[in-house]
Amino acid sequence: MLFKEFKIERILQGRLPKGSDILEGIGSFLKDKSIQKGMLSGIGAVSKARIGYYDQKDRVYKTMVFDEPMEILSLKGNISIKDSEPFVHIHGVFSKKDCSCVGGHIFEGTEVFAFEFEIAEFSGHVFKRAYDEETGLYLWAI
Ligand code: ZN
């Protein structure tokens, strides 16, 4: 098992503007605030979502676009370092007009209608991602 112990350095709470891309918006906020490690959560609504799942056999992400207004029931992510840059990994559960849900790994192309988030920045030694032969994913290594 691989793990590290952190303390919470600070918690930031905010809102992304309507029309922004969740991944890009959070990514640039992390750079602005020099946040390299932590966790993210949020709720709100999107005008469209691009989400997917990792095909474990083919070792590729299969993405789907839901071009419709949906609630963000739960959005959760972690922040670490990949290729020397802060990297945010986000999953989300969205509900449609009939309250049925879709969810998955969030990709660029997920557009904010309203998004309220909290980021807990950790203090301690940051996790760095490296290619993992067993899964084909970039996982926490050191
Ligand atoms: Zn993922």
Side-chain angles (χ1 to χ4, degrees):
M1 189 205 310
L2 179 69
F3 80 95
K4 295 183 186 205
E5 189 172 325
F6 298 101
K7 289 196 175 2
I8 292 177
E9 181 74 30
R10 60 180 168 161
I11 295 175
L12 297 94
Q13 194 172 41
R15 180 171 78 80
L16 287 181
K18 184 175 181 291
S20 58
D21 186 286
I22 286 184
L23 215 53
E24 287 174 3
I26 293 296
S28 62
F29 183 73
L30 295 175
K31 273 192 178 174
D32 284 356
K33 298 293 175 197
S34 304
I35 297 171
Q36 300 191 325
K37 52 201 172 289
M39 60 187 190
L40 164 81
S41 64
I43 54 172
V46 292
S47 50
K48 69 172 186 179
R50 185 165 163 249
I51 55 178
Y53 77 99
Y54 185 68
D55 186 311
Q56 297 175 12
K57 189 166 161 273
D58 294 347
R59 293 184 160 218
V60 287
Y61 278 100
K62 306 262 168 89
T63 63
M64 289 184 78
V65 174
F66 294 88
D67 197 357
E68 58 194 290
M70 294 185 290
E71 292 288 309
I72 304 169
L73 299 185
S74 178
L75 188 143
K76 202 164 164 40
N78 58 53
I79 301 150
S80 56
I81 295 289
K82 183 182 172 199
D83 300 327
S84 309
E85 295 280 330
F87 175 81
V88 62
H89 178 194
I90 311 176
H91 287 190
V93 182
F94 304 89
S95 74
K96 298 179 173 195
K97 203 188 283 183
D98 66 357
C99 290
S100 65
C101 292
V102 292
H105 179 108
I106 293 180
F107 286 89
E108 281 176 10
T110 300
E111 196 177 290
V112 169
F113 181 77
F115 181 56
E116 299 168 340
F117 65 87
E118 292 83 27
I119 291 172
E121 183 185 19
F122 299 159
S123 63
H125 195 263
V126 64
F127 262 125
K128 290 178 182 161
R129 291 184 179 274
Y131 184 75
D132 177 67
E133 287 287 347
E134 252 185 304
T135 60
L137 293 166
Y138 284 81
L139 300 178
W140 291 332
I142 51 169

